[in-house]
Amino acid sequence: MPPSREEPRGLLDALLTHRAPAPADVPARFLAPRIVTAADVEAAGDVVVELDAGAEAPAPGSRRPLRYQIDCAPEYLDDILAFTAPAPLCVYVAGDALADTARRLTEAGHVPGLPAGRSADEIADFLAVLAHSDTGYVAQARDAAEVLALLSATAAALSGFDVRQAVAEPDAARLAALVPEAAAAVREILLTVEVDDPAAIVEGLAGLGLGRQAG
């Protein structure tokens, strides 16, 4: 079960979001609400609703999603910045100006998205903006090593350590040893990580030293 609002969020609690139905072999505590299309929101429970940048804004429904999510080309960023959603809006902007777009998104109250496969320099510049924002960020990852690097980089950004080194040489033992308050602080910044195969990610994290007991 995910932690209650009275309990600090563990490092891996509700970390992994996904698009397919929840896999039966992954403990529920690791899974965040999944991503669905706008057509599926009414029947899906707690979800993140993916919007189409070329479609009309969503009409209010009987069920309010946890968050909205959208992929945005740079030329449409001004329109997104002016958009007010009925729930927090996570925005992935294509292109290389991650830190600049993250700054603009947080100023507008939106949640920046960090795409998978970014370099240590890009992640460090991005987290220089996000480490002290009120919005937090979401991310995408291709494998467990990338998830571990994101956790490590976020922890380093909060503690004033070298983020680039944390990306290149993540220390799973240090992360697993974080006190509950420190783990919760990391997760207040890194909200969720979108992955294709949560079961493989959980198994991979355990193999990297961040096991099922972590967080």
Side-chain angles (χ1 to χ4, degrees), residues 41-65:
V41 63
E42 291 297 325
D46 289 336
V47 291
V48 175
V49 175
E50 185 171 49
L51 302 178
D52 182 346
E56 294 185 4
S62 60
R63 188 182 294 275
R64 182 176 182 266

Side-chain angles (χ1 to χ4, degrees), residues 131-213:
H132 305 291
S133 77
D134 294 328
T135 65
Y137 77 100
V138 295
Q140 298 166 334
R142 300 163 297 183
D143 53 32
E146 199 162 1
V147 174
L148 180 63
L150 290 169
L151 290 166
S152 177
T154 306
L158 287 173
S159 356
F161 295 155
D162 188 332
V163 174
R164 290 166 177 81
Q165 182 177 358
V167 173
E169 301 175 1
D171 188 338
R174 180 190 294 270
L175 290 171
L178 289 176
V179 299
E181 293 78 11
V186 171
R187 294 303 313 285
E188 287 177 4
I189 302 299
L190 176 53
L191 303 179
T192 59
V193 181
E194 180 184 344
V195 299
D196 290 334
D197 187 345
I201 298 298
V202 171
E203 182 178 355
L205 287 172
L208 291 168
L210 200 60
R212 292 178 180 266
Q213 297 86 287

Side-chain angles (χ1 to χ4, degrees), residues 72-83 89 91 93-94 97-113 125-126 128-130 133 135-136:
C72 171
E75 58 266 31
Y76 298 120
L77 180 58
D78 286 341
D79 293 333
I80 296 296
L81 293 172
F83 177 60
L89 177 64
V91 185
V93 181
L98 285 178
D100 180 59
T101 56
R103 185 175 296 105
R104 297 182 66 191
L105 287 166
T106 58
E107 289 173 352
H110 297 324
V111 179
D125 291 343
F126 180 89
V129 176
L130 269 298
S133 77
T135 65

